[in-house]
Amino acid sequence: MSTIEMTGEAIIQMRGDAKSLSQAGLSHADESGFFAQNPMTGERLEPRFCSASKADVEMAAKLACAAAPAMAAASGRTRADLLFLMTEKLMAAQEQIVQRAHLETGLPLARLNGEMGRTVGQLRLFAELVAEGSWVDARIDTALPERTPAPRPSLRSMLRPLGPVVVFGASNFPLAFSVAGGDTAAALAAGCPVIVKAHPAHPGTSELVARAICDAATELGWHPGTFALLFDSGVAVGTALVQHPGIKAVAFTGSAAGGKALMKLAAARPEPIPCFAEMGSSNPVFVMPGAMQARATAIASGLATSFTMGSGQFCTKPGVVFVPKETPQSFWQELKKIVGGMTSLGMLTEGIAERFREGVGERRRTVGAIEKIVEASAETQRATAAGLPIVMKSSIKEFLSMPELEEEIFGPAMLVIEYDDAKQLVAAARQLRGHLTATIHAEEAENTAPLLALLETRAGRLVWNGYPTGVEVSPAMVHGGPFPATTDSRFTSVGTASIFRFARPVCFQDVPDVLLLEELQATNPLGIERLVNGRRTREIL
Ligand code: NAP
């Protein structure tokens, strides 16, 4: 197993080598820095990480712009080679990366090893997608020179990369949604250079992963601007990156405040750019009377597992659950048994744990009718950053009069709302804003069609008799949803379809075959599926 040296400095590839600035003979204009902190012990972790300077931002953006044309020209198979080699480099450094991630996040080693599996799995998935090539949605309308009253020109279109993308790593997925995570994989696969703003909660993990990516890019002779990593413990570097004229898109996973701030910055530029922010949601669950009568205990146990999984720090955590007034006691008893038997759960950072406690406190203070059904025991709190799992309860009347009750509390909290009839349930669904998921528990005979039709307009993924946590990385996955869950409901940030965020269609009119990319050439040398005169085919023209 190789060991990667951690320097704590921005990684900008110079002369084809992954170097920190001091290694490259340049000094930092800005000497400010920060340390990672172990959320389990509060201990400060070495080394010191340097916040990127203005010069770092400028250099990273300049290099990314210089790399963009070569990346756009690279074939899908060439990009796939990079993604495949990245997986090898990451796996070779897995032990070191996972150990550091464990120290920085407190997440269990088993979870982190699983997350590494997911990370390399999604890199492979994107590699296979672009190696095959049909994702570019090639469309060909052949010329009709004899058409009257006007001839039709030859029109050939396909998706092309947007250009340099800034990725903000998420705190709750230090591997699968961070430096080499889904956003980076999708952007590189699309042919876009990537600059990652590392999440300050796991800078060491970020550096180790970035070095593995740079090793792969260097070994294959990719342009040094293909990838860069910058550190900061505040918003200055992220702001400068989003405002840089060379940047063409932003991908973000995190808080509503952060996502909205970046969306505003991206829109206010002289040249506005898309900002794909996934900002989480409370993922409402609707339990129909028949389902509750048939399996109250199983539903309670499924919900308890789902809302406490990962200490409730998943954007798909079920935060609001609607149950019928005549819910059997066994449902409440099961919830009390499971949650009451828990102890405090470790959280990612002290800040996140504090916001969780504040969120729970505020909800219980501001809403008179909310009662605490059960809270875990505080006695065995081991981590400095920790939260007590809690289930709260309120009425549908309260929910309908206080829309803020649907707002996410990030962490192990769940609000159960009792409803009297189906009309109230539909009214609650109608009141909802955008969510990543919505779930229905129902028996076959129950009429859920109106609810389902309504929820389709409120969420990106509809779950039937299941639980929203656990997001499959696959072609059909939609991890998105209307605002405020995301800033652009047309796209997903998980699964192969997330590549479409970083590409735009370009149409070539009457351009000679020889000048076209292989995807659009008459002989279809890549053998991809294309839409030729309105018909899907792999045939040649
Ligand atoms: P965050 O505060 O939104 O930060 C995420 C990243 O964005 C960090 O790198 C942060 O940089 C940067 N950032 C935030 N606001 C910015 C701004 N105005 N301009 C430029 N950069 C900005 O998220 P977090 O630290 O991971 O967790 C805080 C809260 O976010 C949680 O309590 C939770 O509510 C929510 N969260 C949601 C999800 C989700 O799945 N959607 C995931 C994790 C967290 P700095 O930290 O350096 O300022």
Side-chain angles (χ1 to χ4, degrees), residues 207-246:
E207 176 171 351
L208 296 175
V209 169
R211 290 196 173 276
I213 296 175
C214 291
D215 269 3
T218 306
E219 199 169 308
L220 294 173
W222 281 71
H223 189 287
T226 301
F227 177 85
L229 175 79
L230 301 181
F231 296 108
D232 194 13
S233 60
V235 300
V237 168
T239 302
L241 282 168
V242 173
Q243 289 179 326
H244 196 283

Side-chain angles (χ1 to χ4, degrees), residues 11-80:
I11 298 177
I12 299 174
Q13 294 193 88
M14 317 278 296
R15 301 183 294 275
D17 237 359
K19 288 192 192 302
S20 62
L21 291 196
S22 59
Q23 284 171 335
L26 296 169
S27 67
H28 273 274
D30 179 353
E31 281 302 320
S32 66
F34 63 99
F35 292 86
Q37 194 184 24
N38 184 329
M40 299 173 285
T41 61
E43 174 203 1
R44 195 176 92 168
L45 300 169
E46 294 292 335
R48 185 172 76 97
F49 287 85
C50 301
S51 294
S53 64
K54 280 187 186 151
D56 296 347
V57 171
E58 194 52 44
M59 188 178 307
K62 204 171 129 193
L63 280 164
C65 291
M71 287 192 71
S75 70
R77 282 178 197 155
T78 313
R79 287 181 215 151

Side-chain angles (χ1 to χ4, degrees), residues 392-438:
M392 296 170 282
K393 183 177 158 194
S394 188
S395 67
I396 191 91
K397 202 169 140 244
E398 199 96 32
F399 183 83
L400 291 172
S401 65
M402 300 196 76
E404 62 269 32
L405 286 187
E406 76 171 282
E407 277 169 23
E408 176 189 32
I409 296 179
F410 194 71
M414 184 170 76
L415 177 62
V416 184
I417 313 267
E418 277 185 333
Y419 65 88
D420 300 308
D421 55 39
K423 246 166 94 181
Q424 286 178 335
L425 208 55
V426 170
R430 185 166 291 122
Q431 180 178 286
L432 291 174
R433 300 175 79 198
H435 290 262
L436 294 170
T437 73

